[in-house]
Amino acid sequence: MDFDRIVKIVEDRTGIAITGARLTRIRRLFEKSPDLFLGLESMPFQHENWQKVIDSLSVQETYFFRDVEVFDCVRKEILRELSKRFPSEGLKIWSAGCATGEETYTLAIVVLEYLKSLGFSFESIKDKVFILGTDISQRGIQRAREGLYKNIPMGSFRNFPEEFMKYLEPYGEGYRVTKEVRQITRFEVHNLLDSKPPIQDADLVVCRNVLIYFHDASKKRAYTNLVQALKKGGYLIMGPLENPGMGLEKRQCGRLVYYMKP
Ligand SMILES: C[S@@+](CC[C@H](N)C(=O)[O-])C[C@H]1O[C@@H](n2cnc3c(N)ncnc32)[C@H](O)[C@@H]1O
């Protein structure tokens, strides 16, 4: 099979634009292990060959409280709105393209802290809050499920606020997120280009630092998935410059632009 064909297959299945350093990485992998690419087109992306290709391509850089402004807006605007219909309506959140889970757990911590500040006990909310993290990388999802992170310079905790340390417990060379946080969180392998989202009637969908690596056509397919997952009155947070259109209402919180499904 020629290399250009392989690049096309990988782009079509993952959405990731294969250019620059990613093109170099995939060329090296092809030269080293050409058999890895045999029959790739018809294999499910959970297959270990696909996963090797995905892990050679995808950028899994992430950390807790990555963008403070985002989580401030989640607290100040979005949770304030959503909590008006809580607990009669539960709270469902999807963190799409979560890599090793730090974004998903950050959302869980922010939600727990907010609901507790309103006087809810953990026991009273644990079956009403559901936060799902998904990623195309099986390795990322396995690490996310463990919830264990080394405490190294410029690692997962580089932005972690002191006030939320109570949601971490010391573990080995780092920390594990507490059982409470893990109890309201779940992780699944999911491709954003799938025909269906992995969750329905979500109150909030967050997809940050994922679609920047996508081709325009793949972005559109991913937008459809993200918007389909939302319930009416649900919110969508993506990266700057990303606009799904699709009849969503634009909202502004400081420098953050986000969307509401009317
Ligand atoms: C840079 S990380 C972003 C992590 C987190 N959202 C954040 O902002 O810190 C990008 C993630 O997108 C995932 N990804 C790439 N293509 C994907 C696809 N088609 N479906 C789901 N996830 C994908 C990668 O595996 C990677 O873990």
Side-chain angles (χ1 to χ4, degrees), residues 14 16 58-63 66 97-99 103 135-137 190-193 208-210 213-214:
T14 64
I16 301 170
S58 76
V59 179
Q60 295 215 326
E61 159 88 354
T62 185
Y63 45 97
R66 180 170 188 166
C98 68
E103 174 186 273
D135 200 281
I136 196 173
S137 161
H190 173 262
N191 184 346
L192 271 166
L193 299 188
R208 306 263 306 167
N209 305 302
V210 178
Y213 304 106
F214 276 35

